[in-house]
Amino acid sequence: MTTHLALLRGINVSGHNMMKMEALKTMLENLGFQNVRTYLQSGNVFVDSEEEPSKVGFMIKQEIFKVFGHEVPVVMITKENLESCFANNPYLKEKDCDTKKLYVAFVSTTLKKENINDLKISQFKPDEASIDENRIFIKYAVGAGKTRFDQKYIEKKLNVTATIRNWNTVTNLLKMYSE
């Protein structure tokens, strides 16, 4: 049995794609997943399964549509992927790093370092971004709510599915992987 983390994009945000976590948990248990756990109301779900991550993500997406009627993109994240966040986040190495301004965009495919040029991040200065495989590390100057460098922009520019989590959430998700 392998523990999988599914990041659901765009649920319970500003009254859109509403679903109670208890109902989501029950739905996933009915699909045959074990040890189903959620974190916050924003779509962070752990499930245990013998299936491959891509199949788990597909099953979750299909069942959410069938049960709730929402078209919800799902990005699957491994424990190793989360551990790499801590090892490879360039902003953590900065003196006096304010982790409240750090975010990670998890994307559906592996990116190349050159993809940073496609993002045209310079037009969002003083926000900063760095690409590492299927993650984009983001350091917002003011905050996530005051920038146009968001998940929709990333998806459009790179033609990927993306979902963004703040650093506190990333930290807690890694802890939960070990529980």
Side-chain angles (χ1 to χ4, degrees):
M1 210 47 85
T2 302
T3 299
H4 301 279
L5 171 58
L7 301 179
L8 312 181
R9 194 208 53 212
I11 67 162
N12 297 338
V13 178
S14 303
H16 297 287
N17 292 340
M18 299 303 291
M19 64 180 81
K20 299 221 181 286
M21 292 299 100
E22 195 56 42
L24 177 65
K25 182 178 180 200
T26 299
M27 179 203 81
L28 294 173
E29 289 169 343
N30 290 340
L31 262 182
F33 295 121
Q34 298 178 10
N35 194 25
V36 178
R37 298 172 287 147
T38 63
Y39 177 70
L40 300 176
Q41 298 295 312
S42 55
N44 307 292
V45 185
F46 289 92
V47 299
D48 288 354
S49 173
E50 296 291 342
E51 302 292 345
E52 292 296 315
S54 60
K55 183 164 185 187
V56 171
F58 180 77
M59 291 170 66
I60 292 171
K61 179 179 178 167
Q62 293 298 102
E63 197 68 9
I64 287 173
F65 185 75
K66 190 163 54 170
V67 172
F68 296 101
H70 304 315
E71 184 70 38
V72 176
V74 177
V75 177
M76 299 302 295
I77 302 298
T78 65
K79 183 177 183 183
E80 294 75 22
N81 194 311
L82 280 180
E83 290 170 338
S84 291
C85 284
F86 290 84
N88 299 333
N89 189 330
Y91 307 114
L92 287 178
K93 297 172 179 98
E94 295 177 355
K95 186 178 179 189
D96 302 323
C97 172
D98 182 358
T99 57
K100 290 184 178 116
K101 294 181 178 177
L102 297 184
Y103 290 74
V104 181
F106 294 96
V107 298
S108 57
T109 187
T110 300
L111 301 172
K112 296 182 171 102
K113 297 261 186 221
E114 304 85 62
N115 289 124
I116 197 73
N117 297 327
D118 301 330
L119 288 175
K120 299 180 180 6
I121 189 66
S122 62
Q123 67 186 349
F124 298 102
K125 290 290 181 194
D127 293 342
E128 297 178 48
S130 175
I131 289 178
D132 181 55
E133 296 182 7
N134 69 333
R135 298 171 295 270
I136 302 171
F137 298 111
I138 303 168
K139 182 172 85 170
Y140 290 121
V142 178
K146 304 210 183 240
T147 184
R148 291 179 301 119
F149 186 68
D150 59 10
Q151 156 262 312
K152 287 180 184 176
Y153 177 83
I154 291 168
E155 288 183 331
K156 183 177 179 184
K157 286 295 184 184
L158 299 180
N159 195 29
V160 296
T161 297
T163 187
I164 298 177
R165 299 298 188 268
N166 66 41
W167 194 251
N168 183 56
T169 297
V170 171
T171 301
N172 285 316
L173 290 174
L174 182 58
K175 287 178 190 171
M176 286 181 72
Y177 241 123
S178 302
E179 293 176 354

